[in-house]
mmCIF file of all heavy atoms in Angstrom:
data_model
loop_
_atom_site.group_PDB
_atom_site.id
_atom_site.type_symbol
_atom_site.label_atom_id
_atom_site.label_comp_id
_atom_site.label_asym_id
_atom_site.label_seq_id
_atom_site.Cartn_x
_atom_site.Cartn_y
_atom_site.Cartn_z
ATOM 1 N N LYS A 203 0.375 27.684 -2.535
ATOM 2 C CA LYS A 203 1.113 28.953 -2.308
ATOM 3 C C LYS A 203 0.758 29.955 -3.391
ATOM 4 O O LYS A 203 0.800 31.164 -3.132
ATOM 5 C CB LYS A 203 2.623 28.706 -2.366
ATOM 6 C CG LYS A 203 3.135 27.675 -1.371
ATOM 7 C CD LYS A 203 3.429 28.280 -0.023
ATOM 8 C CE LYS A 203 4.045 27.282 0.938
ATOM 9 N NZ LYS A 203 3.099 26.269 1.434
ATOM 10 N N GLU A 204 0.416 29.482 -4.577
ATOM 11 C CA GLU A 204 0.126 30.434 -5.633
ATOM 12 C C GLU A 204 -0.915 29.874 -6.612
ATOM 13 O O GLU A 204 -0.837 28.731 -7.067
ATOM 14 C CB GLU A 204 1.397 30.802 -6.400
ATOM 15 C CG GLU A 204 1.116 31.880 -7.423
ATOM 16 C CD GLU A 204 2.354 32.518 -8.059
ATOM 17 O OE1 GLU A 204 3.419 31.866 -8.054
ATOM 18 O OE2 GLU A 204 2.213 33.655 -8.546
ATOM 19 N N LEU A 205 -1.883 30.739 -6.875
ATOM 20 C CA LEU A 205 -2.917 30.436 -7.882
ATOM 21 C C LEU A 205 -2.778 31.525 -8.940
ATOM 22 O O LEU A 205 -2.875 32.720 -8.656
ATOM 23 C CB LEU A 205 -4.297 30.507 -7.203
ATOM 24 C CG LEU A 205 -5.531 30.344 -8.101
ATOM 25 C CD1 LEU A 205 -5.544 28.983 -8.786
ATOM 26 C CD2 LEU A 205 -6.823 30.506 -7.258
ATOM 27 N N THR A 206 -2.514 31.115 -10.166
ATOM 28 C CA THR A 206 -2.234 32.118 -11.189
ATOM 29 C C THR A 206 -2.771 31.696 -12.520
ATOM 30 O O THR A 206 -3.328 30.595 -12.667
ATOM 31 C CB THR A 206 -0.708 32.417 -11.205
ATOM 32 O OG1 THR A 206 -0.466 33.442 -12.160
ATOM 33 C CG2 THR A 206 0.094 31.201 -11.614
ATOM 34 N N LEU A 207 -2.650 32.568 -13.510
ATOM 35 C CA LEU A 207 -3.112 32.182 -14.847
ATOM 36 C C LEU A 207 -2.298 32.836 -15.934
ATOM 37 O O LEU A 207 -1.608 33.835 -15.691
ATOM 38 C CB LEU A 207 -4.600 32.515 -15.024
ATOM 39 C CG LEU A 207 -5.043 33.976 -15.167
ATOM 40 C CD1 LEU A 207 -6.315 34.056 -15.998
ATOM 41 C CD2 LEU A 207 -5.315 34.547 -13.808
ATOM 42 N N THR A 208 -2.378 32.255 -17.118
ATOM 43 C CA THR A 208 -1.807 32.846 -18.333
ATOM 44 C C THR A 208 -2.975 33.162 -19.241
ATOM 45 O O THR A 208 -3.785 32.304 -19.516
ATOM 46 C CB THR A 208 -0.854 31.854 -19.020
ATOM 47 O OG1 THR A 208 0.216 31.534 -18.131
ATOM 48 C CG2 THR A 208 -0.254 32.442 -20.287
ATOM 49 N N THR A 209 -3.024 34.412 -19.683
ATOM 50 C CA THR A 209 -4.205 34.841 -20.437
ATOM 51 C C THR A 209 -3.780 35.742 -21.593
ATOM 52 O O THR A 209 -2.720 36.359 -21.551
ATOM 53 C CB THR A 209 -5.166 35.601 -19.520
ATOM 54 O OG1 THR A 209 -6.225 36.158 -20.307
ATOM 55 C CG2 THR A 209 -4.505 36.725 -18.745
ATOM 56 N N ASN A 210 -4.643 35.813 -22.597
ATOM 57 C CA ASN A 210 -4.392 36.757 -23.681
ATOM 58 C C ASN A 210 -4.899 38.154 -23.318
ATOM 59 O O ASN A 210 -4.759 39.089 -24.103
ATOM 60 C CB ASN A 210 -4.988 36.258 -25.016
ATOM 61 C CG ASN A 210 -6.515 36.183 -24.990
ATOM 62 O OD1 ASN A 210 -7.177 36.863 -24.195
ATOM 63 N ND2 ASN A 210 -7.072 35.353 -25.843
ATOM 64 N N GLY A 211 -5.516 38.295 -22.180
ATOM 65 C CA GLY A 211 -5.923 39.621 -21.692
ATOM 66 C C GLY A 211 -7.261 40.123 -22.174
ATOM 67 O O GLY A 211 -7.766 41.143 -21.688
ATOM 68 N N SER A 212 -7.870 39.416 -23.117
ATOM 69 C CA SER A 212 -9.093 39.966 -23.731
ATOM 70 C C SER A 212 -10.252 40.110 -22.750
ATOM 71 O O SER A 212 -11.099 40.967 -22.933
ATOM 72 C CB SER A 212 -9.509 39.084 -24.923
ATOM 73 O OG SER A 212 -9.975 37.834 -24.437
ATOM 74 N N GLN A 213 -10.294 39.266 -21.729
ATOM 75 C CA GLN A 213 -11.434 39.295 -20.794
ATOM 76 C C GLN A 213 -11.051 39.907 -19.447
ATOM 77 O O GLN A 213 -11.857 39.842 -18.490
ATOM 78 C CB GLN A 213 -11.960 37.879 -20.583
ATOM 79 C CG GLN A 213 -12.247 37.087 -21.846
ATOM 80 C CD GLN A 213 -13.286 37.782 -22.706
ATOM 81 O OE1 GLN A 213 -14.330 38.245 -22.223
ATOM 82 N NE2 GLN A 213 -12.987 37.893 -23.992
ATOM 83 N N LEU A 214 -9.881 40.502 -19.389
ATOM 84 C CA LEU A 214 -9.399 40.941 -18.063
ATOM 85 C C LEU A 214 -10.155 42.111 -17.509
ATOM 86 O O LEU A 214 -10.253 42.295 -16.284
ATOM 87 C CB LEU A 214 -7.925 41.299 -18.140
ATOM 88 C CG LEU A 214 -6.915 40.185 -17.906
ATOM 89 C CD1 LEU A 214 -5.501 40.740 -18.030
ATOM 90 C CD2 LEU A 214 -7.117 39.526 -16.544
ATOM 91 N N GLU A 215 -10.666 42.938 -18.397
ATOM 92 C CA GLU A 215 -11.389 44.133 -17.935
ATOM 93 C C GLU A 215 -12.495 43.695 -16.989
ATOM 94 O O GLU A 215 -12.740 44.309 -15.951
ATOM 95 C CB GLU A 215 -11.960 44.884 -19.146
ATOM 96 C CG GLU A 215 -12.394 46.289 -18.789
ATOM 97 C CD GLU A 215 -12.868 47.062 -20.013
ATOM 98 O OE1 GLU A 215 -13.047 46.502 -21.107
ATOM 99 O OE2 GLU A 215 -13.084 48.268 -19.848
ATOM 100 N N LYS A 216 -13.148 42.605 -17.368
ATOM 101 C CA LYS A 216 -14.264 42.091 -16.556
ATOM 102 C C LYS A 216 -13.777 41.258 -15.354
ATOM 103 O O LYS A 216 -14.353 41.315 -14.270
ATOM 104 C CB LYS A 216 -15.117 41.241 -17.491
ATOM 105 C CG LYS A 216 -16.307 40.573 -16.895
ATOM 106 C CD LYS A 216 -17.180 40.023 -18.030
ATOM 107 C CE LYS A 216 -17.924 38.800 -17.576
ATOM 108 N NZ LYS A 216 -18.261 37.914 -18.716
ATOM 109 N N PHE A 217 -12.705 40.505 -15.557
ATOM 110 C CA PHE A 217 -12.340 39.489 -14.552
ATOM 111 C C PHE A 217 -11.218 39.888 -13.582
ATOM 112 O O PHE A 217 -10.993 39.176 -12.605
ATOM 113 C CB PHE A 217 -11.938 38.190 -15.240
ATOM 114 C CG PHE A 217 -13.093 37.431 -15.825
ATOM 115 C CD1 PHE A 217 -13.223 37.209 -17.199
ATOM 116 C CD2 PHE A 217 -14.087 36.912 -14.982
ATOM 117 C CE1 PHE A 217 -14.286 36.523 -17.726
ATOM 118 C CE2 PHE A 217 -15.165 36.206 -15.485
ATOM 119 C CZ PHE A 217 -15.280 36.015 -16.863
ATOM 120 N N ALA A 218 -10.514 40.975 -13.861
ATOM 121 C CA ALA A 218 -9.334 41.291 -13.031
ATOM 122 C C ALA A 218 -9.670 41.404 -11.534
ATOM 123 O O ALA A 218 -9.033 40.738 -10.715
ATOM 124 C CB ALA A 218 -8.678 42.588 -13.521
ATOM 125 N N GLN A 219 -10.662 42.193 -11.208
ATOM 126 C CA GLN A 219 -10.978 42.406 -9.804
ATOM 127 C C GLN A 219 -11.456 41.106 -9.126
ATOM 128 O O GLN A 219 -10.926 40.741 -8.055
ATOM 129 C CB GLN A 219 -12.022 43.528 -9.640
ATOM 130 C CG GLN A 219 -12.269 43.929 -8.185
ATOM 131 C CD GLN A 219 -11.029 44.460 -7.510
ATOM 132 O OE1 GLN A 219 -10.382 45.383 -8.002
ATOM 133 N NE2 GLN A 219 -10.671 43.894 -6.362
ATOM 134 N N PRO A 220 -12.436 40.395 -9.734
ATOM 135 C CA PRO A 220 -12.837 39.141 -9.093
ATOM 136 C C PRO A 220 -11.703 38.116 -8.973
ATOM 137 O O PRO A 220 -11.647 37.340 -8.013
ATOM 138 C CB PRO A 220 -13.956 38.591 -9.997
ATOM 139 C CG PRO A 220 -14.232 39.597 -11.030
ATOM 140 C CD PRO A 220 -13.357 40.756 -10.828
ATOM 141 N N LEU A 221 -10.769 38.125 -9.920
ATOM 142 C CA LEU A 221 -9.623 37.202 -9.802
ATOM 143 C C LEU A 221 -8.774 37.599 -8.603
ATOM 144 O O LEU A 221 -8.336 36.755 -7.814
ATOM 145 C CB LEU A 221 -8.774 37.224 -11.068
ATOM 146 C CG LEU A 221 -9.344 36.490 -12.281
ATOM 147 C CD1 LEU A 221 -8.532 36.791 -13.544
ATOM 148 C CD2 LEU A 221 -9.384 34.974 -12.027
ATOM 149 N N PHE A 222 -8.556 38.893 -8.444
ATOM 150 C CA PHE A 222 -7.787 39.349 -7.278
ATOM 151 C C PHE A 222 -8.517 38.958 -6.003
ATOM 152 O O PHE A 222 -7.888 38.455 -5.060
ATOM 153 C CB PHE A 222 -7.597 40.872 -7.344
ATOM 154 C CG PHE A 222 -6.722 41.400 -6.224
ATOM 155 C CD1 PHE A 222 -5.334 41.502 -6.398
ATOM 156 C CD2 PHE A 222 -7.259 41.777 -5.007
ATOM 157 C CE1 PHE A 222 -4.528 41.950 -5.354
ATOM 158 C CE2 PHE A 222 -6.448 42.217 -3.972
ATOM 159 C CZ PHE A 222 -5.077 42.314 -4.144
ATOM 160 N N ASP A 223 -9.820 39.127 -6.004
ATOM 161 C CA ASP A 223 -10.601 38.784 -4.822
ATOM 162 C C ASP A 223 -10.524 37.294 -4.500
ATOM 163 O O ASP A 223 -10.692 36.869 -3.363
ATOM 164 C CB ASP A 223 -12.064 39.213 -5.006
ATOM 165 C CG ASP A 223 -12.198 40.729 -5.094
ATOM 166 O OD1 ASP A 223 -11.249 41.442 -4.668
ATOM 167 O OD2 ASP A 223 -13.208 41.222 -5.623
ATOM 168 N N ALA A 224 -10.285 36.470 -5.560
ATOM 169 C CA ALA A 224 -10.164 35.034 -5.342
ATOM 170 C C ALA A 224 -8.787 34.629 -4.901
ATOM 171 O O ALA A 224 -8.476 33.434 -4.755
ATOM 172 C CB ALA A 224 -10.565 34.293 -6.622
ATOM 173 N N GLY A 225 -7.860 35.616 -4.786
ATOM 174 C CA GLY A 225 -6.536 35.289 -4.249
ATOM 175 C C GLY A 225 -5.426 35.282 -5.312
ATOM 176 O O GLY A 225 -4.283 35.036 -4.990
ATOM 177 N N VAL A 226 -5.794 35.560 -6.556
ATOM 178 C CA VAL A 226 -4.752 35.632 -7.603
ATOM 179 C C VAL A 226 -3.969 36.921 -7.387
ATOM 180 O O VAL A 226 -4.566 37.970 -7.126
ATOM 181 C CB VAL A 226 -5.411 35.613 -9.000
ATOM 182 C CG1 VAL A 226 -4.369 35.812 -10.086
ATOM 183 C CG2 VAL A 226 -6.164 34.316 -9.231
ATOM 184 N N ARG A 227 -2.660 36.836 -7.466
ATOM 185 C CA ARG A 227 -1.832 38.028 -7.224
ATOM 186 C C ARG A 227 -0.960 38.384 -8.406
ATOM 187 O O ARG A 227 -0.566 39.543 -8.582
ATOM 188 C CB ARG A 227 -0.922 37.841 -5.988
ATOM 189 C CG ARG A 227 -1.719 37.793 -4.677
ATOM 190 C CD ARG A 227 -2.332 39.156 -4.374
ATOM 191 N NE ARG A 227 -3.204 39.139 -3.224
ATOM 192 C CZ ARG A 227 -4.536 38.967 -3.276
ATOM 193 N NH1 ARG A 227 -5.147 38.841 -4.452
ATOM 194 N NH2 ARG A 227 -5.279 38.961 -2.183
ATOM 195 N N ARG A 228 -0.608 37.365 -9.195
ATOM 196 C CA ARG A 228 0.265 37.613 -10.356
ATOM 197 C C ARG A 228 -0.326 36.916 -11.564
ATOM 198 O O ARG A 228 -0.878 35.817 -11.416
ATOM 199 C CB ARG A 228 1.651 37.025 -10.119
ATOM 200 C CG ARG A 228 2.378 37.630 -8.929
ATOM 201 C CD ARG A 228 3.845 37.247 -8.950
ATOM 202 N NE ARG A 228 4.042 35.799 -8.939
ATOM 203 C CZ ARG A 228 5.236 35.232 -9.035
ATOM 204 N NH1 ARG A 228 6.316 35.990 -9.215
ATOM 205 N NH2 ARG A 228 5.369 33.929 -9.008
ATOM 206 N N ILE A 229 -0.234 37.542 -12.719
ATOM 207 C CA ILE A 229 -0.746 36.894 -13.935
ATOM 208 C C ILE A 229 0.270 37.097 -15.071
ATOM 209 O O ILE A 229 1.051 38.047 -15.028
ATOM 210 C CB ILE A 229 -2.128 37.436 -14.371
ATOM 211 C CG1 ILE A 229 -2.053 38.951 -14.688
ATOM 212 C CG2 ILE A 229 -3.197 37.191 -13.299
ATOM 213 C CD1 ILE A 229 -3.354 39.491 -15.265
ATOM 214 N N ASN A 230 0.222 36.198 -16.008
ATOM 215 C CA ASN A 230 0.980 36.374 -17.240
ATOM 216 C C ASN A 230 0.035 36.804 -18.338
ATOM 217 O O ASN A 230 -1.002 36.160 -18.534
ATOM 218 C CB ASN A 230 1.654 35.074 -17.677
ATOM 219 C CG ASN A 230 2.790 34.674 -16.763
ATOM 220 O OD1 ASN A 230 3.158 35.398 -15.853
ATOM 221 N ND2 ASN A 230 3.345 33.510 -17.013
ATOM 222 N N VAL A 231 0.392 37.856 -19.031
ATOM 223 C CA VAL A 231 -0.430 38.300 -20.171
ATOM 224 C C VAL A 231 0.413 38.152 -21.423
ATOM 225 O O VAL A 231 1.539 38.676 -21.485
ATOM 226 C CB VAL A 231 -0.905 39.765 -20.009
ATOM 227 C CG1 VAL A 231 -1.708 40.214 -21.223
ATOM 228 C CG2 VAL A 231 -1.742 39.924 -18.733
ATOM 229 N N SER A 232 -0.111 37.457 -22.418
ATOM 230 C CA SER A 232 0.660 37.270 -23.637
ATOM 231 C C SER A 232 0.394 38.415 -24.597
ATOM 232 O O SER A 232 -0.747 38.716 -24.890
ATOM 233 C CB SER A 232 0.217 35.939 -24.315
ATOM 234 O OG SER A 232 0.383 34.891 -23.394
ATOM 235 N N LEU A 233 1.471 39.042 -25.025
ATOM 236 C CA LEU A 233 1.338 40.211 -25.904
ATOM 237 C C LEU A 233 2.617 40.319 -26.721
ATOM 238 O O LEU A 233 3.700 40.496 -26.171
ATOM 239 C CB LEU A 233 1.154 41.465 -25.011
ATOM 240 C CG LEU A 233 0.982 42.805 -25.718
ATOM 241 C CD1 LEU A 233 -0.339 42.849 -26.471
ATOM 242 C CD2 LEU A 233 1.003 43.934 -24.694
ATOM 243 N N ASP A 234 2.485 40.229 -28.035
ATOM 244 C CA ASP A 234 3.675 40.154 -28.882
ATOM 245 C C ASP A 234 4.044 41.491 -29.518
ATOM 246 O O ASP A 234 5.150 41.623 -30.061
ATOM 247 C CB ASP A 234 3.452 39.132 -30.012
ATOM 248 C CG ASP A 234 3.063 37.774 -29.493
ATOM 249 O OD1 ASP A 234 3.517 37.438 -28.383
ATOM 250 O OD2 ASP A 234 2.283 37.054 -30.170
ATOM 251 N N THR A 235 3.102 42.423 -29.529
ATOM 252 C CA THR A 235 3.378 43.698 -30.210
ATOM 253 C C THR A 235 2.513 44.797 -29.600
ATOM 254 O O THR A 235 1.465 44.527 -29.014
ATOM 255 C CB THR A 235 3.062 43.593 -31.736
ATOM 256 O OG1 THR A 235 3.151 44.894 -32.313
ATOM 257 C CG2 THR A 235 1.677 43.021 -32.001
ATOM 258 N N LEU A 236 2.985 46.032 -29.738
ATOM 259 C CA LEU A 236 2.218 47.182 -29.224
ATOM 260 C C LEU A 236 1.566 47.932 -30.388
ATOM 261 O O LEU A 236 1.024 49.007 -30.202
ATOM 262 C CB LEU A 236 3.131 48.120 -28.449
ATOM 263 C CG LEU A 236 3.710 47.536 -27.172
ATOM 264 C CD1 LEU A 236 4.771 48.436 -26.564
ATOM 265 C CD2 LEU A 236 2.592 47.268 -26.156
ATOM 266 N N ASP A 237 1.657 47.347 -31.573
ATOM 267 C CA ASP A 237 1.110 47.987 -32.759
ATOM 268 C C ASP A 237 -0.243 47.349 -33.081
ATOM 269 O O ASP A 237 -0.329 46.127 -33.251
ATOM 270 C CB ASP A 237 2.133 47.771 -33.882
ATOM 271 C CG ASP A 237 1.629 48.361 -35.179
ATOM 272 O OD1 ASP A 237 0.720 47.798 -35.820
ATOM 273 O OD2 ASP A 237 2.194 49.412 -35.589
ATOM 274 N N GLU A 238 -1.260 48.173 -33.177
ATOM 275 C CA GLU A 238 -2.629 47.657 -33.358
ATOM 276 C C GLU A 238 -2.800 46.779 -34.590
ATOM 277 O O GLU A 238 -3.425 45.735 -34.544
ATOM 278 C CB GLU A 238 -3.622 48.832 -33.468
ATOM 279 C CG GLU A 238 -4.219 49.234 -32.133
ATOM 280 C CD GLU A 238 -5.343 50.206 -32.290
ATOM 281 O OE1 GLU A 238 -6.288 49.934 -33.070
ATOM 282 O OE2 GLU A 238 -5.317 51.255 -31.614
#
Side-chain angles (χ1 to χ4, degrees):
K203 304 274 185 288
E204 185 168 24
L205 175 61
T206 183
L207 72 151
T208 299
T209 173
N210 65 23
S212 70
Q213 309 300 314
L214 272 180
E215 195 176 10
K216 178 168 151 206
F217 286 116
Q219 187 62 52
L221 284 170
F222 184 90
D223 295 341
V226 175
R227 290 293 174 265
R228 299 194 301 176
I229 61 173
N230 289 355
V231 178
S232 304
L233 181 67
D234 305 328
T235 172
L236 294 172
D237 178 286
E238 268 191 52

